[in-house]
Amino acid sequence: MSTSVMDPGTAMMTLMTREGKRDPYPLYEALRSYGPLLRLGPDQLVVTGHAECFRALREPGLLSTDGPVQDRMMPGWRDHSSWVWLAQNMLFSNSPDHERYRRFFSGAFTPRRIAEMRPVVERLIDELVDRLAELGADGRPVDFMAEFAFRVPMAVVGHLIGIPKEDWPDFRGPVGDITTALEPIRDLAQLDRGDGGMDWMADYFADLVAKRRADPTDDLVSQMTRARDEGGELSEEELIANFMLLLVAGTEAPMDLIGNAMRLAVEHPQHADRLREDPELAPGFIEETLRFDPAAQALNRMAATDLDFFGVPLTAGTKVTLLIAAGNRDLRRFADPLTFDPYRSGNHALTFSGGAHFCLGAALARMMAERAIPQVLRRFPGITLAGEPTFRDQLVQRGFDQLPVKCG
Ligand code: HEM
């Protein structure tokens, strides 16, 4: 069926198919043709407008998916370790726990702390570009996702948190598994994969916390474990749950940002050439990647009480699906939104969320991508695709499974 005549229910169902996830953008336009707010049944609202997503993220009456919300949305979740751990981190919590967790960790992400990390970030990326050159010597195809896009944030966040270098490669599988627990599911058994990844990672962090408690260094695990032991603001499980959030949020989405930006660079050689000549264009290029093909596509909220949202009455318990990737292409906010234009000004993409849950690692994610992409383009002027990229079967967290490239 042509997407231009698709009814909203069919468009939403198609979005959940492998094909829909591979290219969700025409489906967002189909949904948007019914207006920026779309009721799907009495207790679900789908939001595709920029202004409406922006406001929803700042609306205190719309809750993030914490334990009590999940009891209504996904009964049975308490038997699944993925969500038992997720519901103890700051992303999936609400006031007052959210403020308690965020206050505890935000000191590690102040602008000054992030700026201080720049030399380390640059060194780690330059080492990985050298490694890519070795792997891709003589035109050998290389999987850009496994060999570079994942390794950059894993090295940066691994270094920050204090994960020993030799363990970094072990994380890609469990991180990917955990993000599948964030997808819309029809059957609780679909959480099994996320449970496995989470169990592995929880054991890993319990062990790391114990080691750093006994023998502290200057890494984040040592600092935060000491702060917890002295101040008692967090339980041991909450500490571990939030370390796991930092690791998962800090690697998977930045990996996808770097992968998506690389594909856009290869597809738009004229923009890539300008970026090679002038790395100062990197912030615009990365910002536009975040708008045009965002790593995070959708966020969930639930109405805490009856409320009026842009004239739509929502009853307590209504599920609100924020299609932020659709909001990023709203013609009412962006001129020519279906065009990838890295020189646009006033780019206000929704990709890092907003309000209380605004991404804690946004500045770090930008720093990594703004260094990584120009470095790769300059080092490999002839970089091309070496085969058809494959997508992961995911909607919420969008990115490639494999992106084969030839470094030239
Ligand atoms: C391209 C990269 C990234 C994207 C697209 C992204 C996206 C997001 C989004 C959309 C949220 C909020 C979700 C919601 O409102 O429901 C969020 C929250 C968060 N992100 Fe990121 N993120 C990225 C990188 C990072 C990095 C590098 C880190 C840490 C090292 C990080 C740590 C966090 C944390 C801790 C939260 C929870 C904040 C809170 O709930 O108060 N993220 N991120």
Side-chain angles (χ1 to χ4, degrees):
M1 186 192 293
S2 154
T3 49
S4 58
V5 292
M6 220 177 234
D7 66 82
T10 309
M12 281 304 280
M13 266 162 52
T14 312
L15 208 47
M16 305 302 160
T17 63
R18 195 172 253 282
E19 196 48 32
K21 291 173 198 169
R22 205 176 58 76
D23 186 12
Y25 299 111
L27 296 163
Y28 295 151
E29 296 312 314
L31 289 167
R32 194 206 311 290
S33 67
Y34 295 90
L37 298 171
L38 196 60
R39 241 191 208 294
L40 281 189
D43 45 12
Q44 188 179 3
L45 185 77
V46 175
V47 185
T48 60
H50 185 281
E52 292 76 8
C53 285
F54 185 92
R55 161 110 159 258
L57 292 169
R58 289 157 180 80
E59 167 59 61
L62 293 179
L63 300 179
S64 184
T65 315
D66 64 8
V69 168
Q70 202 61 307
D71 284 336
R72 296 181 77 146
M73 297 292 167
M74 204 199 281
W77 68 274
R78 288 177 191 274
D79 297 330
H80 289 268
S81 55
S82 52
W83 269 97
V84 168
W85 283 106
L86 288 170
Q88 296 182 77
N89 77 34
M90 75 181 95
L91 181 51
F92 298 111
S93 60
N94 294 294
S95 189
D97 287 337
H98 175 256
E99 285 90 323
R100 184 165 56 88
Y101 300 151
R102 185 147 177 143
R103 203 173 41 238
F104 190 79
F105 282 93
S106 56
F109 292 89
T110 59
R112 189 172 59 81
R113 292 291 289 271
I114 299 303
E116 282 168 4
M117 283 187 68
R118 182 177 293 277
V120 176
V121 170
E122 292 182 352
R123 177 176 58 75
L124 291 168
I125 289 175
D126 293 352
E127 284 172 15
L128 286 166
V129 174
D130 287 345
R131 184 175 174 278
L132 200 57
E134 277 165 33
L135 291 174
D138 306 324
R140 274 195 303 270
V142 180
D143 176 14
F144 188 77
M145 299 311 287
E147 304 302 347
F148 189 77
F150 179 74
R151 285 171 192 261
V152 167
M154 187 61 229
V156 170
V157 175
H159 176 88
L160 169 74
I161 294 181
I163 295 173
K165 190 173 183 178
E166 60 275 16
D167 295 346
W168 294 348
D170 299 344
F171 277 83
R172 185 168 181 213
V175 166
D177 291 345
I178 290 169
T179 63
T180 65
L182 308 180
E183 291 293 307
I185 60 164
R186 266 182 238 104
D187 176 351
L188 283 170
Q190 287 172 268
L191 294 178
D192 291 349
R193 191 175 152 198
D195 293 346
M198 197 63 100
D199 289 340
W200 180 86
M201 206 178 284
D203 284 348
Y204 184 93
F205 272 102
D207 191 43
L208 189 62
V209 165
K211 281 188 186 137
R212 294 294 189 271
R213 183 173 273 135
D215 188 8
T217 68
D218 61 356
D219 61 28
L220 201 66
V221 169
S222 303
Q223 287 167 30
M224 295 288 137
T225 302
R226 187 169 53 242
R228 191 213 86 83
D229 292 349
E230 286 168 3
E233 251 190 297
L234 258 64
S235 72
E236 184 90 358
E237 287 205 342
E238 289 168 339
L239 181 75
I240 289 174
N242 282 287
F243 281 145
M244 293 198 283
L245 169 67
L246 289 180
L247 196 279
V248 175
T251 52
E252 188 84 347
M255 165 180 85
D256 290 332
L257 169 60
I258 293 171
N260 295 351
M262 195 62 225
R263 206 267 304 251
L264 285 163
V266 171
E267 280 180 350
H268 297 84
Q270 74 285 19
H271 299 325
D273 283 343
R274 283 189 64 183
L275 192 51
R276 274 188 189 97
E277 284 157 23
D278 185 2
E280 304 259 307
L281 296 174
F285 192 96
I286 296 307
E287 227 45 36
E288 180 67 346
T289 303
L290 286 162
R291 182 194 73 82
F292 185 78
D293 195 15
Q297 298 262 315
L299 305 174
N300 288 317
R301 294 292 187 267
M302 191 196 80
T305 52
D306 294 354
L307 64 107
D308 178 275
F309 188 66
F310 286 95
V312 179
L314 304 183
T315 49
T318 302
K319 180 179 178 192
V320 180
T321 305
L322 304 175
L323 293 177
I324 52 171
N328 283 349
R329 290 176 174 225
D330 186 343
L331 187 57
R332 296 173 306 161
R333 183 66 188 75
F334 299 99
D336 201 6
L338 306 190
T339 299
F340 177 72
D341 174 8
Y343 317 112
R344 65 172 76 236
S345 59
N347 198 341
H348 292 289
L350 298 158
T351 309
F352 285 123
S353 186
H357 292 280
F358 179 77
C359 176
L360 196 56
L364 187 59
R366 287 184 169 116
M367 184 195 282
M368 291 189 244
E370 288 169 12
R371 174 76 180 189
I373 297 298
Q375 288 297 92
V376 169
L377 291 175
R378 286 160 80 98
R379 181 72 172 266
F380 311 113
I383 192 165
T384 52
L385 293 190
E388 208 34 49
T390 53
F391 279 92
R392 299 193 309 275
D393 188 22
Q394 285 174 251
L395 174 68
V396 173
Q397 184 93 47
R398 173 181 171 79
F400 296 109
D401 183 26
Q402 294 190 350
L403 181 64
V405 296
K406 272 193 187 158
C407 293

